Amino acid sequence: MSTEHGALEAAGTRVPAASPLSEVKLHLVENMEDLFTFKRWLGERRETPLAVDTETGGLDPWRVKLRLVQFGDPNTGWAIPFEDWQGAIKEVLRTYEGRWICHNLPFEQKFFKLHAGLTLPWERCDDTMVELALLEPHKPKGLKPASERHVDPNAARGQDVLKDAMQKQGWTWETIPHSFPPYWIYGALDTVLTARLWQWSHPRVLAECPEAYGLEMATLRVCHQMMVNGMLLDVPYVQRSIQELQEFSTQAREWLQRVHSVTSPMSGAQISRAMATLGVDPIAFTDGGAPRMDKETLTTYRGWAAQPRAQELASYVLSVRHADKMLGSYLENFLEMMDGDHLIHCNINTLAARTGRMSVTEPALQTLPREDKIIRGSFIPHERKVLISCDLSQVEARLAAHFSQDPGLIEAFRRADEDGDDFFCAVAGQIFNEVITKADLRRQMTKNVVYCSLYGGGVTKMAQTAGVPLAQMQPVKSAFDATYPGLQGLIQSITELGRRTNPPSIRSPLGRMLVADHGREFTQLTNALIQGHAAEYMKRCAVDMDAAGLGDYLRLLIHDEGILEAPAEEAEEVLRVMEQCMTDREKYLVPLTADGKIMTERWAK
DNA sequence: AGCGCGGGCGCG
DNA sequence: AAAGCGCGCCCGCGCT
């Protein structure tokens, strides 16, 4: 079936005649003749890359079907049912010699890899979602909203028609018929939108931030491999952990209900009522005005020797909350999300945070507890392999020294690197004018001053984080600012520079726009520059590791840390290459360095 | 039953 | 003058 003019009317939505999309031609391949027409069209000369998109049965490429594959350019779109025309589709994907465009390339690549057994050549692909994220980080980057802004205000019409029909007919994304016009027409139209969006975004990206774009596209490739390879789970170990924690949780919940009528340890209202019954008054409140019953407050109650019953209650709530967090957020999810080979294929969003940091979901492998080793220990290397982790050393503080050009900070890092001193001991030594050991509270206070300053925190927050009275922290902060004036100078100049744009923003060294909310420039922008460039640096490290031949070993990136799985006999060499890829002694005013370790049994310290 | 939100907590 | 940044996931709770 083909629709010439009025394709969108056929789908039940009127697009005004003058609308840029009203002349678009959209087609569905239903027979051999359609296929020949499609191939003739494919062979035509065109000035844009070929846009490709898919419609799938859902979001998890490992569990749902590939329904449609669509191809298009700025004027024409084709929808082709995958199961009926697999051979032809694979041939096009394999043999087309021009460039490709997708909106969310990693999503399509996963489906192509798992359902068609092929991968589009990354070096010939553009991704308009990446381009949008770089050009307009403060705006929605989905295909529909972006197209409404830059292609046609009517671009998202028809979404509602499709949703209504699906609901009325009881169709899901797995079961909706290919030939239902709103389905295939809007599938095909998406490629047209993608191609037109590229016409808007691509020249701008090349003009504004070609380096950031090149790095992002390379990062997509490296992260794709990580997602496909997956991490191996020790299933019996996880099952044992779950059982033990569940037994504990059940007993603790029974006690809470029996003794204090608390049915849910997550309910602050119930806990505070029970505390009130014991004659314990609230000591802190949430923003909403309710008594705070979080970890910090409960830990305080747990230390109150004069109130043994409150201590006992707080202790039970804290431990059952911890157990439930371990079970619900981590262990049970692991079993649910693993594939038949006990592999966990997480989802990596390479441009999730507005600072350019990545996020990891399903499961959130970047947030596995550090202290409670049970959770990280759930992941093991395959037979005859080891896990290797390598992390950047104080990368944010080093970048702060670099950006601020503060001679004192630069010197402290030089001494830390050359004499093997601890950086924060060196800084604390300068401030207090005596030798400071690692265990000294003044080192911790100094560290809190540095990191709180970078994140826009005040002296109150510094004292609170270090657990000391305000009066004790104040002179430390004053002495720090006097000794290392560069940092305050950096924060000042970034804040002033950032306030000149709307929205407030600054550019990273690779040209990435980093935005802040109005009125929050002071607390967000310095952090954005440092966190943002650390993210760029880490992405560069991962791409370099891939170039050095470690791409297939890479498993996970956790902001300033890389996790690899490598053959045991290569471990030392791999670690050496890894450290080399993560070290830069030339481009910055202080060296950026890395430190790694080999884990033979499981992922834990 | 599903949604949005606040509160809470895990990480860097 | 004063100001902690960035995420994901879970639960409870009130709403539709």
Short mmCIF file of all heavy atoms in Angstrom, two decimals, chain A residues 349-383:
data_model
loop_
_atom_site.label_atom_id
_atom_site.label_comp_id
_atom_site.label_asym_id
_atom_site.label_seq_id
_atom_site.Cartn_x
_atom_site.Cartn_y
_atom_site.Cartn_z
N ASN A 349 22.58 4.62 29.58
CA ASN A 349 22.17 5.85 28.91
C ASN A 349 23.36 6.79 28.93
O ASN A 349 23.69 7.35 29.98
CB ASN A 349 20.95 6.44 29.63
CG ASN A 349 20.43 7.66 28.91
OD1 ASN A 349 21.10 8.20 28.02
ND2 ASN A 349 19.25 8.10 29.28
N THR A 350 23.99 6.97 27.77
CA THR A 350 25.27 7.69 27.76
C THR A 350 25.09 9.19 27.95
O THR A 350 26.06 9.88 28.24
CB THR A 350 26.04 7.44 26.46
OG1 THR A 350 25.24 7.90 25.38
CG2 THR A 350 26.38 5.98 26.29
N LEU A 351 23.89 9.69 27.74
CA LEU A 351 23.71 11.13 28.01
C LEU A 351 22.51 11.38 28.87
O LEU A 351 21.64 12.20 28.57
CB LEU A 351 23.66 11.95 26.72
CG LEU A 351 23.41 11.28 25.38
CD1 LEU A 351 21.96 11.05 25.19
CD2 LEU A 351 24.03 12.09 24.29
N ALA A 352 22.48 10.70 30.02
CA ALA A 352 21.34 10.82 30.92
C ALA A 352 21.38 12.13 31.69
O ALA A 352 20.39 12.86 31.75
CB ALA A 352 21.33 9.65 31.88
N ALA A 353 22.51 12.42 32.29
CA ALA A 353 22.59 13.60 33.16
C ALA A 353 22.93 14.83 32.35
O ALA A 353 23.63 14.76 31.34
CB ALA A 353 23.66 13.38 34.23
N ARG A 354 22.46 15.98 32.81
CA ARG A 354 22.73 17.18 32.02
C ARG A 354 24.19 17.59 32.11
O ARG A 354 24.63 18.47 31.38
CB ARG A 354 21.79 18.31 32.40
CG ARG A 354 21.87 18.79 33.82
CD ARG A 354 20.90 19.96 33.93
NE ARG A 354 20.77 20.44 35.28
CZ ARG A 354 19.99 21.45 35.62
NH1 ARG A 354 19.28 22.06 34.69
NH2 ARG A 354 19.90 21.85 36.87
N THR A 355 24.93 16.98 32.99
CA THR A 355 26.37 17.24 33.04
C THR A 355 27.13 16.40 32.02
O THR A 355 28.32 16.57 31.85
CB THR A 355 26.93 16.88 34.41
OG1 THR A 355 26.57 15.52 34.69
CG2 THR A 355 26.36 17.78 35.48
N GLY A 356 26.43 15.47 31.37
CA GLY A 356 27.12 14.57 30.43
C GLY A 356 27.50 13.25 31.05
O GLY A 356 28.05 12.38 30.39
N ARG A 357 27.20 13.10 32.35
CA ARG A 357 27.42 11.79 32.95
C ARG A 357 26.48 10.76 32.38
O ARG A 357 25.40 11.09 31.91
CB ARG A 357 27.16 11.88 34.46
CG ARG A 357 28.39 12.14 35.27
CD ARG A 357 28.04 11.84 36.70
NE ARG A 357 29.13 12.10 37.58
CZ ARG A 357 29.07 11.92 38.89
NH1 ARG A 357 27.95 11.49 39.44
NH2 ARG A 357 30.09 12.16 39.64
N MET A 358 26.89 9.49 32.48
CA MET A 358 26.04 8.40 32.04
C MET A 358 25.19 7.92 33.21
O MET A 358 25.54 8.11 34.36
CB MET A 358 26.89 7.25 31.54
CG MET A 358 27.78 7.63 30.39
SD MET A 358 28.53 6.21 29.64
CE MET A 358 30.04 6.14 30.55
N SER A 359 24.09 7.24 32.88
CA SER A 359 23.36 6.53 33.93
C SER A 359 23.20 5.08 33.50
O SER A 359 23.26 4.75 32.32
CB SER A 359 22.01 7.18 34.20
OG SER A 359 21.08 6.82 33.20
N VAL A 360 23.03 4.22 34.48
CA VAL A 360 22.85 2.79 34.24
C VAL A 360 21.58 2.35 34.94
O VAL A 360 21.38 2.63 36.11
CB VAL A 360 24.06 1.99 34.76
CG1 VAL A 360 23.82 0.50 34.62
CG2 VAL A 360 25.33 2.39 34.02
N THR A 361 20.72 1.65 34.19
CA THR A 361 19.45 1.18 34.76
C THR A 361 19.26 -0.29 34.46
O THR A 361 19.96 -0.86 33.63
CB THR A 361 18.27 1.96 34.16
OG1 THR A 361 18.23 1.76 32.75
CG2 THR A 361 18.37 3.45 34.46
N GLU A 362 18.28 -0.87 35.13
CA GLU A 362 17.85 -2.25 34.88
C GLU A 362 18.97 -3.28 34.80
O GLU A 362 19.14 -3.90 33.78
CB GLU A 362 17.00 -2.32 33.61
CG GLU A 362 15.71 -1.50 33.69
CD GLU A 362 15.08 -1.37 32.32
OE1 GLU A 362 15.56 -0.56 31.52
OE2 GLU A 362 14.13 -2.11 32.08
N PRO A 363 19.70 -3.46 35.88
CA PRO A 363 19.62 -2.79 37.17
C PRO A 363 20.57 -1.59 37.25
O PRO A 363 21.40 -1.40 36.37
CB PRO A 363 20.07 -3.88 38.14
CG PRO A 363 21.04 -4.70 37.36
CD PRO A 363 20.59 -4.63 35.92
N ALA A 364 20.42 -0.80 38.33
CA ALA A 364 21.23 0.41 38.51
C ALA A 364 22.62 0.01 39.01
O ALA A 364 22.94 0.18 40.18
CB ALA A 364 20.54 1.37 39.47
N LEU A 365 23.43 -0.51 38.10
CA LEU A 365 24.73 -1.08 38.51
C LEU A 365 25.72 -0.03 39.01
O LEU A 365 26.76 -0.39 39.56
CB LEU A 365 25.35 -1.86 37.35
CG LEU A 365 24.62 -3.15 36.96
CD1 LEU A 365 25.34 -3.84 35.81
CD2 LEU A 365 24.52 -4.09 38.15
N GLN A 366 25.42 1.24 38.81
CA GLN A 366 26.33 2.28 39.33
C GLN A 366 26.09 2.54 40.81
O GLN A 366 26.86 3.26 41.44
CB GLN A 366 26.14 3.59 38.56
CG GLN A 366 26.68 3.54 37.15
CD GLN A 366 26.47 4.84 36.41
OE1 GLN A 366 25.43 5.47 36.54
NE2 GLN A 366 27.45 5.27 35.63
N THR A 367 25.01 2.00 41.37
CA THR A 367 24.68 2.34 42.76
C THR A 367 24.75 1.14 43.69
O THR A 367 24.17 1.17 44.78
CB THR A 367 23.26 2.96 42.86
OG1 THR A 367 22.30 1.93 42.65
CG2 THR A 367 23.06 4.06 41.86
N LEU A 368 25.44 0.09 43.29
CA LEU A 368 25.54 -1.06 44.19
C LEU A 368 26.33 -0.67 45.43
O LEU A 368 27.37 -0.01 45.32
CB LEU A 368 26.23 -2.23 43.49
CG LEU A 368 25.66 -2.69 42.15
CD1 LEU A 368 26.24 -4.05 41.78
CD2 LEU A 368 24.15 -2.75 42.17
N PRO A 369 25.85 -1.07 46.62
CA PRO A 369 26.51 -0.66 47.88
C PRO A 369 27.99 -1.02 47.89
O PRO A 369 28.39 -2.08 47.39
CB PRO A 369 25.76 -1.48 48.93
CG PRO A 369 24.45 -1.81 48.32
CD PRO A 369 24.67 -1.87 46.84
N ARG A 370 28.78 -0.14 48.46
CA ARG A 370 30.22 -0.37 48.56
C ARG A 370 30.55 -1.16 49.83
O ARG A 370 31.36 -2.06 49.82
CB ARG A 370 30.95 0.98 48.64
CG ARG A 370 31.32 1.53 47.31
CD ARG A 370 32.37 2.63 47.43
NE ARG A 370 33.17 2.69 46.23
CZ ARG A 370 34.11 1.85 45.90
NH1 ARG A 370 34.40 0.84 46.70
NH2 ARG A 370 34.78 1.98 44.78
N GLU A 371 29.89 -0.75 50.93
CA GLU A 371 30.23 -1.34 52.23
C GLU A 371 29.69 -2.75 52.38
O GLU A 371 30.41 -3.67 52.72
CB GLU A 371 29.68 -0.44 53.36
CG GLU A 371 30.31 0.93 53.41
CD GLU A 371 31.84 0.87 53.50
OE1 GLU A 371 32.35 0.03 54.28
OE2 GLU A 371 32.50 1.64 52.79
N ASP A 372 28.38 -2.89 52.13
CA ASP A 372 27.76 -4.21 52.21
C ASP A 372 28.20 -5.01 50.99
O ASP A 372 27.60 -4.95 49.93
CB ASP A 372 26.23 -4.05 52.23
CG ASP A 372 25.55 -5.35 52.61
OD1 ASP A 372 26.13 -6.42 52.34
OD2 ASP A 372 24.46 -5.30 53.19
N LYS A 373 29.28 -5.77 51.15
CA LYS A 373 29.93 -6.40 49.99
C LYS A 373 29.09 -7.48 49.33
O LYS A 373 29.42 -7.95 48.24
CB LYS A 373 31.27 -7.01 50.43
CG LYS A 373 32.29 -5.98 50.87
CD LYS A 373 33.60 -6.68 51.17
CE LYS A 373 34.40 -5.92 52.21
NZ LYS A 373 35.48 -6.76 52.74
N ILE A 374 28.03 -7.90 50.01
CA ILE A 374 27.19 -8.98 49.47
C ILE A 374 26.74 -8.67 48.05
O ILE A 374 26.75 -9.53 47.18
CB ILE A 374 25.95 -9.18 50.37
CG1 ILE A 374 26.38 -9.70 51.74
CG2 ILE A 374 24.97 -10.13 49.73
CD1 ILE A 374 25.25 -9.74 52.74
N ILE A 375 26.34 -7.41 47.83
CA ILE A 375 25.69 -7.10 46.56
C ILE A 375 26.71 -7.13 45.41
O ILE A 375 26.50 -7.82 44.41
CB ILE A 375 25.01 -5.72 46.63
CG1 ILE A 375 24.11 -5.63 47.86
CG2 ILE A 375 24.22 -5.47 45.36
CD1 ILE A 375 22.99 -6.62 47.90
N ARG A 376 27.79 -6.40 45.53
CA ARG A 376 28.79 -6.43 44.45
C ARG A 376 29.34 -7.84 44.27
O ARG A 376 29.68 -8.24 43.16
CB ARG A 376 29.92 -5.45 44.74
CG ARG A 376 29.46 -4.01 44.66
CD ARG A 376 30.60 -3.01 44.60
NE ARG A 376 30.03 -1.67 44.57
CZ ARG A 376 30.65 -0.60 44.09
NH1 ARG A 376 31.88 -0.69 43.63
NH2 ARG A 376 30.05 0.57 44.09
N GLY A 377 29.42 -8.56 45.39
CA GLY A 377 29.94 -9.93 45.33
C GLY A 377 29.07 -10.87 44.52
O GLY A 377 29.48 -11.99 44.21
N SER A 378 27.85 -10.42 44.17
CA SER A 378 26.97 -11.26 43.36
C SER A 378 27.51 -11.44 41.94
O SER A 378 27.07 -12.33 41.22
CB SER A 378 25.58 -10.63 43.27
OG SER A 378 25.04 -10.41 44.56
N PHE A 379 28.43 -10.57 41.54
CA PHE A 379 28.96 -10.64 40.17
C PHE A 379 30.33 -11.30 40.18
O PHE A 379 31.19 -10.98 41.01
CB PHE A 379 29.03 -9.24 39.55
CG PHE A 379 27.66 -8.67 39.34
CD1 PHE A 379 27.05 -7.90 40.32
CD2 PHE A 379 26.96 -8.94 38.17
CE1 PHE A 379 25.77 -7.40 40.14
CE2 PHE A 379 25.68 -8.44 37.98
CZ PHE A 379 25.08 -7.67 38.97
N ILE A 380 30.50 -12.24 39.26
CA ILE A 380 31.74 -13.04 39.23
C ILE A 380 32.29 -13.07 37.81
O ILE A 380 31.56 -12.85 36.85
CB ILE A 380 31.46 -14.49 39.70
CG1 ILE A 380 30.29 -15.08 38.92
CG2 ILE A 380 31.18 -14.52 41.20
CD1 ILE A 380 30.03 -16.55 39.21
N PRO A 381 33.59 -13.36 37.69
CA PRO A 381 34.13 -13.56 36.35
C PRO A 381 33.79 -14.95 35.84
O PRO A 381 33.51 -15.85 36.63
CB PRO A 381 35.64 -13.43 36.58
CG PRO A 381 35.85 -13.80 38.01
CD PRO A 381 34.61 -13.40 38.74
N HIS A 382 33.80 -15.12 34.54
CA HIS A 382 33.64 -16.46 33.95
C HIS A 382 34.85 -17.32 34.33
O HIS A 382 35.86 -16.82 34.81
CB HIS A 382 33.52 -16.38 32.42
CG HIS A 382 32.20 -15.89 31.94
ND1 HIS A 382 31.90 -14.54 31.84
CD2 HIS A 382 31.08 -16.54 31.54
CE1 HIS A 382 30.66 -14.40 31.39
NE2 HIS A 382 30.14 -15.60 31.20
N GLU A 383 34.71 -18.61 34.07
CA GLU A 383 35.82 -19.57 34.27
C GLU A 383 37.10 -19.05 33.63
O GLU A 383 37.08 -18.58 32.48
CB GLU A 383 35.40 -20.89 33.62
CG GLU A 383 36.24 -22.07 33.98
CD GLU A 383 35.76 -22.73 35.26
OE1 GLU A 383 34.71 -22.32 35.81
OE2 GLU A 383 36.44 -23.66 35.69
#
